[in-house]
Amino acid sequence: PPTPQRIRAAPPQPLTKKKAKAMAAAVAAPIEPVSVPTALGGREVLDVGVNVLNLQKIENPQASLHQCASKYGAQAVRSVFEKLELKDKVSPFEELNLSDNNIGDEGAQWLLQGLTSTTSTGESVGKNLKVLLMPRARFGTAGMKAMGGVIGASTSLENVILSSNICDAEGMKGEFCAGLTKNKSVKSLCLAACRLGDKGVAHLCEGPLKTHPTLGHISLQYNRLEAAAAKNLAQMLAVNKALRFLDISGNSIGTEGALALVEGLKNNKGRLTRIAVAQNEIQLAGAKAFCDFFMSKAGSKIEYMDLRHNAVPYPGMVKLRKDLGRPMDGPE
């Protein structure tokens, strides 16, 4: 039979510099460009026509958080929302990441003003926002109160991280608790390392945490909490219907606080399924109370309980492991 002829593919067309430049421009061209100032005195173009606005830019792996934080500030936030106001548009942002920037109280106020403003047709500018990430954004009490306004005005926010913004107990008082009480959409709230103290947690427990219908997770790590805060949390757990995960690691509730919290868990009737109490100096008596509850019928709904680093001596640990059916000399 005749030998079939090979089919030769057409040679690829060379990519010229002009074509490459046009392709790069098409990919990189911002939908809604806005020029914003940086802390170094220059300006950068951001795209405010995207679903995710991420200003936590660490372009060099060797960059420090301080270098990152010195890039954008309050005026960058102002410029973004002034652009949206000029266009009379609803913000497309579903996620707003301002982590590790020098936003401050002034920037928090601009954010409140921008997200809660309305277009000429009466639509809320921030109606699409679901995720707000602002850890280490360098705002204080006034900024936290502004965040309460943002939360209270939103019907779409689900995940809010405000950790490491030092607001003290005063930051929880008034506007923040009022906003969280008004909100009906937030599912996860992180307030770690905000130096809330017992009084700050009291404001939360006496207000929004008792009645919030959707808040399933709250983090209060490293907030200088002692036994008084644990007692308030226990009273809150007795009536709360929505909370599923409570994290108070890195505080100092002690044995007294641990015993109070266990009573709160009993009164909670199994609605809370995850709790973290690591690094709280609860000692052997506190750890035993949690373990006894975990092994009881009342604690059967608990899926996760973190009791690490709680000043339990080795003999006490041996006894706890034995009571849990996981002796230290077991196969694991």
Side-chain angles (χ1 to χ4, degrees), residues 177-199:
C177 279
L180 188 56
T181 300
K182 182 181 177 183
N183 177 272
K184 300 293 183 284
S185 63
V186 171
K187 297 178 181 179
S188 177
L189 175 62
C190 189
L191 294 170
C194 290
R195 210 165 65 186
L196 303 183
D198 292 348
K199 289 183 179 179

Side-chain angles (χ1 to χ4, degrees), residues 51 81 84 88-96 111-119 121-131 150-151 153-158 183 185:
N51 292 337
F81 287 99
L84 292 170
D88 194 26
K89 284 188 174 183
V90 169
S91 162
F93 308 143
E94 294 181 7
E95 178 178 320
L96 189 55
L111 189 64
L112 170 62
Q113 181 177 321
L115 289 173
T116 58
S117 62
T118 56
T119 65
T121 59
E123 292 182 284
S124 172
V125 170
K127 74 173 189 177
N128 295 316
L129 190 63
K130 295 180 180 178
V131 180
V150 170
I151 293 170
S154 177
T155 58
S156 58
L157 262 179
E158 296 180 358
N183 177 272
S185 63

Side-chain angles (χ1 to χ4, degrees), residues 3-274:
T3 304
Q5 295 186 2
R6 294 183 179 180
I7 301 174
R8 294 184 178 180
Q13 296 295 320
L15 184 64
T16 64
K17 289 184 178 180
K18 186 176 180 181
K19 279 187 179 180
K21 189 175 181 181
M23 289 171 63
V27 172
I31 301 169
E32 287 285 351
V34 57
S35 175
V36 302
T38 67
L40 299 177
R43 299 191 74 86
E44 282 192 10
V45 174
L46 298 178
D47 190 353
V48 297
V50 293
N51 292 337
V52 177
L53 182 64
N54 182 6
L55 299 189
Q56 189 189 32
K57 294 187 176 181
I58 305 180
E59 292 151 353
N60 185 331
Q62 295 178 334
S64 67
L65 288 180
H66 173 74
Q67 288 171 307
C68 178
S70 64
K71 191 157 193 178
Y72 301 108
Q75 293 306 310
V77 177
R78 177 182 179 179
S79 297
V80 166
F81 287 99
E82 282 183 344
K83 176 72 172 183
L84 292 170
E85 182 182 9
L86 185 64
K87 293 285 185 178
D88 194 26
K89 284 188 174 183
V90 169
S91 162
F93 308 143
E94 294 181 7
E95 178 178 320
L96 189 55
N97 187 352
L98 304 178
S99 308
D100 300 304
N101 280 291
N102 193 18
I103 304 302
D105 290 339
E106 182 186 356
Q109 292 293 338
W110 283 115
L111 189 64
L112 170 62
Q113 181 177 321
L115 289 173
T116 58
S117 62
T118 56
T119 65
S120 59
T121 59
E123 292 182 284
S124 172
V125 170
K127 74 173 189 177
N128 295 316
L129 190 63
K130 295 180 180 178
V131 180
L132 179 60
L133 307 177
M134 294 185 68
R136 302 170 299 279
R138 301 187 180 186
F139 59 80
T141 299
M144 191 64 78
K145 290 179 182 293
M147 291 304 98
V150 170
I151 293 170
S154 177
T155 58
S156 58
L157 262 179
E158 296 180 358
N159 182 11
V160 182
I161 299 181
L162 304 174
S163 305
S164 300
N165 292 294
I166 307 302
C167 67
D168 299 310
E170 188 65 25
M172 296 292 100
K173 190 177 179 182
E175 291 91 329
F176 187 87
C177 279
L180 188 56
T181 300
K182 182 181 177 183
N183 177 272
K184 300 293 183 284
S185 63
V186 171
K187 297 178 181 179
S188 177
L189 175 62
C190 189
L191 294 170
C194 290
R195 210 165 65 186
L196 303 183
D198 292 348
K199 289 183 179 179
V201 169
H203 292 314
L204 289 168
C205 290
E206 292 165 6
L209 293 190
K210 279 188 175 181
T211 58
H212 200 288
T214 61
L215 188 63
H217 163 255
I218 187 166
S219 172
L220 298 170
Q221 302 175 66
Y222 303 103
N223 267 303
R224 304 184 180 184
L225 309 184
E226 298 183 353
K231 292 176 182 178
N232 277 311
L233 288 167
Q235 293 174 8
M236 176 274 295
L237 287 174
V239 297
N240 179 280
K241 306 294 184 185
L243 199 62
R244 298 294 179 265
F245 185 10
L246 172 64
D247 190 348
I248 58 168
S249 301
N251 289 292
S252 303
I253 67 170
T255 303
E256 182 184 358
L259 297 178
L261 207 49
V262 168
E263 288 303 310
L265 289 172
K266 291 176 182 177
N267 294 329
N268 183 256
K269 307 298 183 185
R271 295 184 292 272
L272 190 84
T273 58
R274 300 169 68 84

